[in-house]
Amino acid sequence: MKAPLIKIKNLRKAYGNFTVLHGIDLEIAQGEVVCVVGPSGSGKSTLIRCINHLEPFENDGEIIVDGIPVRPGRDLADVRAEVGMVFQSFNLFPHMTVLRNVMLAPIRVRGMSEADAEKRARDLLDRVGISVQAEKYPGQLSGGQQQRVAIARALAMEPKVLLFDEPTSALDPEMVGEVLDVMKKLAGTGVTMVVVTHEMGFARQVADRVLFMDGGNIIEAGTPTEIFDAPKEERTRNFLHAVLDH
Amino acid sequence: MDLFSTFFNIPVLVASLPQLLNGLLVTIGIGVTSIIAGLIGGLFLAVLRLYAGPVTNALVRGYIDIFRSIPLLVLLIIVYYALPFVGIRLSPFFSAVTALTLVSAAYTAEIFRAGIEAIPKGQFEASAALGLSSRYTMTDVILPQAIRIVIPPLTNNCINVLKDTALASVVAMPDLLKQATQAQALSANPTPLIGAAVIYLLLLLPMVRFVARLEKRFSRGRS
Ligand SMILES: Nc1ncnc2c1ncn2[C@@H]1O[C@H](COP(=O)(O)OP(=O)(O)OP(=O)(O)O)[C@@H](O)[C@H]1O
Ligand SMILES: [Mg+2]
C-alpha cells in the first residue's frame, strides 16, 4: 500500500470545556473517496475544517497532507493550495463573474497568466456544465449551478484533495442530483475526496470507505457495505435507523 | 410691510448673492478638507483596529467613543478658544477643519469596521481555502464588497460634515451662514438667511436623495 496522502494523529479540538474532537486518528490514501456521516454536532465539519486549518486544533495532535504538516505559518499556503474545499453555502465571490471566481486563485496563488487561467476556467466550467453562464454573476444562478461553480473553482487549483462539507444540504431537492452527478464523475478521476454528507445513497454508491462519527469520535469505519448493511456498533445502527427511516 | 417682501426680498437677495456665494466657497472648502482628512484618518483607525494588538485596539476604541460623544460645538470652541492657552493657536479655518476631522475620522472608522465585519465569514473562509494571501483576500475579495456597503453611510457622514461646517461661523469663519447673518444685519432684512438656507438645501438635497437611492438598491440586492 502507498503512503497515505493525509495522516491525522491524535487530533483534538475543544471550545472552552466542550471537547469537539477527542483525539482522532485517521489515514486517507491517495485517490480514496471517504464519506463522513453522523448526527448533527458530532464534529464532522470540524474534522474536515482542521485538514486545511480553517479550524485551529490542539498542537499535540498532528495532520500531515502530502508530507506537509498542517500548522500556522508559511507551509500553510502550500497545504491550502493542494486542498480544495466546497462549502454547504457555496461561498462564491458575489462581486465577480463565474469565470473570474474560477480564475482568481490560479492567478493569485499559482501565478498563472490571465490567458492560461481563463482557458483552464472555461474547461472546468464546461466539465461541470456551466460554460454558458461563465459571464454571469453567482447571484444570477440557481443553487445547484452555484455549487457546481464552487466545485470548478476548487478544481482550478488542481488540488490533490477535495473536501466537501455537506455540499447538497442547502439545495432545493430537485438540484441535489446535478451536484451529486458532478461529484460522482470526480470520484472516478483519481482525486482524493473527503465528503461530509447526509446523502446515504451517494455514500453507498461512491465511497471507498465510510466513517461514522458521534460525539467527537470515529465510532466505526468500513466499506459502504460493512457500514450500511452490517454495522457493528449500536450507535451506528441507531443513527442509520433514524436517517433511513424517513 | 408684507410677508413676501420681508422674507423673499429680491433686491436684497441679489445684492447679497455675491457675499453668499463667497461664503459657500468657504463652506465647501472647510467641508471637503475635513471629509478627505476624516476619510484618511478613519481608514487608518479601522485598519489599526483590525490588525493591531489589544492595547492599540483599546486606544483606538477610546478615541472613537470620545469623539463620537463630544458635541462638535464644544470641541470647536475648545480648539479655538482653549488651545491658545497652551500655545496652540489655529486659524479659524484650521480650527474648524481640525474639530470636524477629529469627529469625522471617528465616525468613518466605525463605518469601515462595520463594512468589513458585514462581509460573511464564508468569504474569508473560501479565500483561505483557496490559499489566497491575506493581502489578496483584502484587495480582491473583502474590500470590493465592503466598499459597496460603506458608500451609503459614508455619504451620510459627508452630509453631516457639510451641515456641521455651519458651526464654524462661531469662530468668526466667513462661511455661508456667517456671510448670511452679516448680510442680514447690513440690509436689516432676513432674506439673505433664507437665501443661505436655500443654498444649503441645493447643496445637500441631491446627496440625501443619492443616499436614499443607494440604500434602497442595497436592501433590494440583499433580499
Ligand atoms: N465556534 C464554536 N463555539 C462553540 N462550539 C462550537 C463552535 N463551532 C462548533 N461548535 C460545536 O462543536 C460541535 C461540533 O460541530 P460540527 O460543526 O463539527 O458538527 P457537525 O457534525 O458538522 O454537525 P452538523 O451536521 O450539524 O453540521 C457542535 O456541538 C457545535 O455546537
Ligand atoms: Mg457540519
Side-chain angles (χ1 to χ4, degrees), chain B residues 55-181:
Chain B
V55 177
T56 316
N57 207 313
L59 286 175
V60 173
R61 222 170 38 233
Y63 172 94
I64 290 171
D65 287 350
I66 288 172
F67 285 100
R68 291 207 308 172
S69 310
I70 192 164
L72 183 59
L73 184 55
V74 174
L75 181 63
L76 178 60
I77 286 177
I78 289 174
V79 169
Y80 188 67
Y81 291 104
L83 288 187
F85 286 92
V86 293
I88 303 173
R89 212 171 294 277
L90 296 178
S91 69
F93 179 83
F94 278 110
S95 299
V97 165
T98 301
L100 282 165
T101 299
L102 286 172
V103 171
S104 177
Y107 280 99
T108 309
E110 278 300 275
I111 291 169
F112 279 125
R113 187 182 60 83
I116 291 171
E117 278 179 4
I119 307 298
K121 218 171 108 232
Q123 295 288 305
F124 289 90
E125 291 185 346
S127 307
L130 285 167
L132 289 178
S133 64
S134 39
R135 178 184 144 210
Y136 286 133
T137 301
M138 271 292 150
T139 59
D140 292 351
V141 179
I142 305 305
L143 288 182
Q145 296 184 66
I147 296 283
R148 289 166 210 216
I149 299 175
V150 299
I151 282 179
L154 278 184
T155 312
N156 257 331
N157 185 56
C158 291
I159 293 169
N160 286 334
V161 172
L162 283 170
K163 285 200 304 203
D164 288 342
T165 55
L167 292 172
S169 57
V170 303
V171 294
M173 195 65 208
D175 75 321
L176 178 54
L177 178 59
K178 187 78 180 172
Q179 298 283 18
T181 50

Side-chain angles (χ1 to χ4, degrees), chain A residues 49 80 92-95 108, chain B residues 122-123 125 128-129 136 140 145:
Chain A
R49 289 162 58 85
R80 285 176 171 171
L92 293 176
F93 305 133
H95 59 296
R108 291 306 202 200
Chain B
Q123 295 288 305
E125 291 185 346
Y136 286 133
D140 292 351
Q145 296 184 66

Side-chain angles (χ1 to χ4, degrees), chain A residues 120-152:
Chain A
R120 175 180 291 184
R122 290 198 186 276
D123 286 350
L124 285 168
L125 288 173
D126 200 33
R127 251 172 84 187
V128 300
I130 306 286
S131 44
V132 186
Q133 280 94 350
E135 322 298 334
K136 287 192 180 165
Y137 286 86
Q140 298 170 286
L141 304 189
S142 73
Q145 291 171 326
Q146 289 191 53
Q147 195 60 300
R148 285 185 279 151
V149 173
I151 293 173

Side-chain angles (χ1 to χ4, degrees), chain A residues 197-210:
Chain A
T197 185
H198 291 301
E199 298 289 335
M200 298 303 153
F202 172 82
R204 184 188 272 277
Q205 192 186 340
V206 177
D208 297 310
R209 188 156 45 131
V210 177

Side-chain angles (χ1 to χ4, degrees), chain A residues 176-204:
Chain A
V176 170
E178 64 191 56
V179 172
L180 292 182
D181 283 344
V182 168
M183 292 170 62
K184 281 177 202 163
K185 270 198 277 171
L186 265 179
T189 64
V191 65
T192 308
M193 292 168 60
V194 185
V195 185
V196 174
T197 185
H198 291 301
E199 298 289 335
M200 298 303 153
F202 172 82
R204 184 188 272 277

Side-chain angles (χ1 to χ4, degrees), chain A residues 58-106:
Chain A
E58 302 297 324
N59 52 21
D60 53 351
E62 186 180 54
I63 300 180
I64 295 175
V65 176
D66 198 24
I68 314 167
V70 178
R71 59 178 174 225
R74 292 184 54 217
D75 290 350
L76 192 54
D78 297 340
V79 171
R80 285 176 171 171
E82 289 201 14
V83 179
M85 188 163 209
V86 175
F87 300 86
Q88 180 175 344
S89 51
F90 328 136
N91 297 346
L92 293 176
F93 305 133
H95 59 296
M96 293 178 196
T97 63
V98 160
L99 184 68
R100 275 272 146 201
N101 264 275
V102 182
M103 288 168 64
L104 180 68

